[in-house]
Amino acid sequence: MASIFGHGLVAYTTAKVIDSKTSTLLLLLAIGCAILPDIDVLAFKLGVPYVHPLGHRGFTHSILFAILWSGLLAFIFGKNRKQIFFIVLFLSTISHGVLDGMTTGGKGVGFFIPFQNSRYFFPWQVIKVSPIGIKQFFSEWGMQVIISELIYIAIPCSIILITLSIAKKKKEWT
Ligand SMILES: [Zn+2]
């Protein structure tokens, strides 16, 4: 994974871009969706191998999982805004796999599980893979993760968010 901060920030930005009137509920759900796929690290504890469809970066990182999960959440929480909930939550969930596919380590992402068990990376593997434990996070390795996420996630997201808020203010003035 990228770090939970990187994943969360991408989801937050996605929600803001797509839905200018984003509610706190949708923002929180979006951030949760972007972090959730890594629940599959539990598979290691259960002895499921990395490359298994249910292993790390497997089914919970797939397109089908993102569709089913965001559909379920949109149905439960979306009320009269189910469609926008679905779009924001789908993009937030799948953004996790997309970021993972741009990291420097681990195995690729199983985007097409259960139809196809291959693992994929994008051609741009620029984000340092984040350590799973807290202790390792506050190490030299963690520092490199933070720097790479600043460059490739935090700065682009900030530029988008600042542009959005300027555009919004301009709209209010006119
Ligand atoms: Zn992941």
Side-chain angles (χ1 to χ4, degrees):
M1 60 172 184
S3 76
I4 56 170
F5 308 107
H7 285 302
L9 181 58
V10 169
Y12 179 89
T13 309
T14 306
K16 286 279 187 189
V17 168
I18 293 185
D19 184 16
S20 56
K21 300 184 286 280
T22 307
S23 60
T24 314
L25 173 67
L26 183 53
L27 275 177
L28 290 177
L29 285 174
I31 292 169
C33 280
I35 297 170
L36 176 80
D38 276 339
I39 195 154
D40 64 8
V41 293
L42 290 176
F44 287 133
K45 292 221 164 87
L46 299 173
V48 179
Y50 203 137
V51 291
H52 188 276
L54 293 178
H56 184 41
R57 292 187 171 174
F59 181 63
T60 57
H61 290 58
S62 72
I63 296 171
L64 182 69
F65 174 83
I67 293 173
L68 295 176
W69 175 246
S70 47
L72 178 72
L73 290 182
F75 182 74
I76 298 173
F77 297 105
K79 297 201 177 124
N80 55 355
R81 305 183 72 229
K82 287 189 175 61
Q83 217 170 351
I84 202 87
F85 265 59
F86 175 74
I87 295 169
V88 169
L89 297 179
F90 170 76
L91 291 175
S92 301
T93 313
I94 203 66
S95 76
H96 181 108
V98 172
L99 284 191
D100 276 2
M102 289 163 50
T103 55
T104 52
K107 305 235 185 304
V109 180
F111 285 114
F112 304 108
I113 291 171
F115 307 107
Q116 201 225 50
N117 196 26
S118 305
R119 301 299 188 93
Y120 297 88
F121 276 115
F122 288 101
W124 324 276
Q125 286 176 254
V126 290
I127 301 169
K128 278 254 169 226
V129 75
S130 179
I132 287 169
I134 291 280
K135 231 194 219 154
Q136 290 99 308
F137 192 80
F138 291 100
S139 64
E140 175 69 13
W141 185 15
M143 204 55 220
Q144 291 177 14
V145 173
I146 292 170
I147 291 170
S148 83
E149 293 199 2
L150 269 178
I151 298 173
Y152 295 107
I153 302 177
I155 291 177
C157 285
S158 308
I159 292 173
I160 294 171
L161 290 171
I162 291 167
T163 312
L164 270 182
S165 82
I166 292 174
K168 209 173 170 189
K169 284 220 176 87
K170 260 201 172 148
K171 232 183 185 175
E172 282 162 11
W173 290 335
T174 48

